C-alpha cells in the first residue's frame, strides 16, 4: 500500500499566493521529509521534520506534522513562478533502516 | 557539501544490451546508497539498498539478476540493467547517506534517463 499520499494531486495558483500541500501516511515514522523535483530532474531536499517535532520553518516553507493523524502539510508562502515543480513527501519508517517511502507527488503550477 | 553525481545523465540503448549507471558521492563517504526508479508522472519506487562491501537488499518484485548493484567503495555504486527491454525505460535515481553527511537524510543524484529501443 502507498505509504505517503499527498493531496491535492495537482495545484494551480497565482504568483504571490500561498500553496498548501498535504501528505498522509500509514505507519510509525522516524521522520518525514519533503522534496521538490523539477521536470526531468533529480530531487531537491526541502525540509525534514522529526517525529517528535510539530512544526518547522525554512525560509518561505512551513511544515507541520501531526503524528496522531499521521499527516503532514507543506506550506509555501508568497509563491513564485520558480516554485513550479512536483513536490513529494517521503517517510522514514521506524525500523526500516533509513529507507524512504515516497508519496505519489503533487504537481504545483504557479502562474506569473 | 553532500553532492551526489550520476553518469550518464541520459542513455539510449538497443533491446537486449546491458547498461551501467554510476552513482558517486563527491564530497562524503556514503555507507549506504539507494536506487530508485521513476516512471513518467509517477513517484519514486525504491529498487534496492546497498551498503558498501555487502550485497544489495532488493525490494519485493525487483529482479536482482536483472538489476545488478555493486557498491565496491564508499563513494561509488553502480547499477547495471542487464538485457534491457523497452519496459525498462525509466528515470533511475540514486541517493546516498552516511558518513559526515549523516544517516537521516538522503542526498539524491540528478538521475539517469534510460531509453531502450
Amino acid at each position: 500500500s502507498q505509504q505517503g499520499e499527498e493531496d491535492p494531486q495537482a495545484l494551480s495558483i497565482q504568483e504571490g499566493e500561498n500553496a498548501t500541500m498535504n501528505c498522509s501516511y500509514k505507519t510509525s515514522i522516524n521522520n518525514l521529509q519533503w522534496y521538490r523535483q523539477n521536470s526531468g530532474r533529480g530531487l531537491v531536499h526541502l525540509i525534514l521534520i522529526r517525529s517528535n517535532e510539530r512544526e518547522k520553518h525554512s525560509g518561505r516553507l512551513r511544515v507541520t506534522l501531526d503524528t496522531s493523524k499521521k499527516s503532514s502539510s507543506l506550506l509555501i508562502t508568497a509563491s513564485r513562478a520558480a516554485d513550479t515543480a512536483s513536490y513529494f513527501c517521503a517517510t522514514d519508517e521506524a525500523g526500516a533502516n533509513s529507507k524512504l517511502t515516497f508519496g505519489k507527488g503533487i504537481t504545483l503550477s504557479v502562474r506569473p | 557539501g553532500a553532492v551526489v553525481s550520476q553518469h550518464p545523465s541520459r542513455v539510449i540503448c538497443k533491446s537486449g544490451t546491458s547498461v551501467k549507471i554510476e552513482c558517486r558521492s563527491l564530497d562524503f563517504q556514503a555507507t549506504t546508497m539507494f536506487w530508485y526508479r521513476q516512471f513518467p508522472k509517477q513517484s519514486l519506487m525504491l529498487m534496492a539498498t546497498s551498503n558498501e562491501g555487502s550485497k544489495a537488499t532488493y525490494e519485493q518484485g525487483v529482479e536482482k539478476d536483472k538489476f545488478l548493484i555493486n557498491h565496491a567503495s564508499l563513494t561509488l555504486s553502480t547499477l547495471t540493467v542487464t538485457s534491457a527491454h523497452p519496459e525498462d525505460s525509466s528515470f533511475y535515481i540514486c541517493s546516498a547517506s552516511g558518513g559526515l553527511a549523516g544517516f537521516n537524510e538522503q542526498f539524491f543524484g540528478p538521475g539517469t534517463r534510460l531509453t531502450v529501443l
Side-chain angles (χ1 to χ4, degrees):
Chain A
S1 61
Q2 185 73 37
Q3 168 71 331
E5 294 275 356
E6 295 99 335
D7 75 87
Q9 291 190 344
L11 182 61
S12 180
I13 59 174
Q14 197 72 37
E15 201 166 31
E17 295 180 337
N18 296 340
T20 299
M21 291 167 269
N22 302 301
C23 168
S24 60
Y25 58 93
K26 293 182 171 63
T27 66
S28 295
I29 61 172
N30 292 322
N31 62 66
L32 184 145
Q33 304 177 39
W34 284 91
Y35 289 85
R36 184 185 74 221
Q37 183 181 37
N38 289 84
S39 181
R41 302 283 188 92
L43 273 71
V44 174
H45 184 263
L46 296 177
I47 198 163
L48 179 154
I49 186 164
R50 301 184 195 285
S51 60
N52 61 352
E53 296 176 311
R54 292 296 166 258
E55 187 171 312
K56 205 161 182 181
H57 296 254
S58 177
R60 294 185 295 114
L61 306 180
R62 173 177 167 254
V63 169
T64 63
L65 179 64
D66 186 334
T67 53
S68 67
K69 295 181 180 178
K70 290 186 167 57
S71 67
S72 172
S73 68
L74 170 67
L75 168 68
I76 303 175
T77 60
S79 64
R80 305 167 182 167
D83 295 328
T84 295
S86 292
Y87 292 81
F88 295 91
C89 69
T91 50
D92 180 348
E93 298 176 37
N97 195 28
S98 297
K99 288 196 311 184
L100 290 179
T101 302
F102 283 81
K104 294 179 181 177
I106 300 168
T107 301
L108 173 66
S109 298
V110 181
R111 303 185 300 275
Chain B
V3 177
V4 176
S5 70
Q6 276 184 248
H7 178 81
S9 59
R10 192 179 292 266
V11 57
I12 301 172
C13 70
K14 292 183 180 179
S15 188
T17 61
S18 294
V19 174
K20 180 185 284 189
I21 302 169
E22 293 185 349
C23 177
R24 292 182 186 272
S25 56
L26 298 184
D27 51 2
F28 69 101
Q29 293 185 325
T31 51
T32 305
M33 286 187 171
F34 303 84
W35 286 96
Y36 296 84
R37 180 167 52 181
Q38 184 181 32
F39 291 108
K41 298 192 185 302
Q42 294 190 23
S43 186
L44 279 74
M45 297 301 294
L46 180 65
M47 299 175 67
T49 303
S50 75
N51 293 295
E52 185 265 339
S54 62
K55 289 183 179 180
T57 302
Y58 290 81
E59 294 299 300
Q60 195 171 10
V62 178
E63 299 174 58
K64 62 180 181 181
D65 294 328
K66 180 168 182 63
F67 299 100
L68 302 178
I69 291 172
N70 185 297
H71 192 165
S73 77
L74 286 172
T75 58
L76 173 65
S77 176
T78 60
L79 167 68
T80 301
V81 182
T82 62
S83 187
H85 290 282
E87 57 264 31
D88 298 322
S89 297
S90 187
F91 194 52
Y92 292 86
I93 305 176
C94 74
S95 69
S97 69
L100 293 177
F103 294 93
N104 284 330
E105 186 175 338
Q106 293 181 26
F107 296 91
F108 284 81
T112 296
R113 174 80 56 197
L114 171 64
T115 302
V116 185
L117 302 176

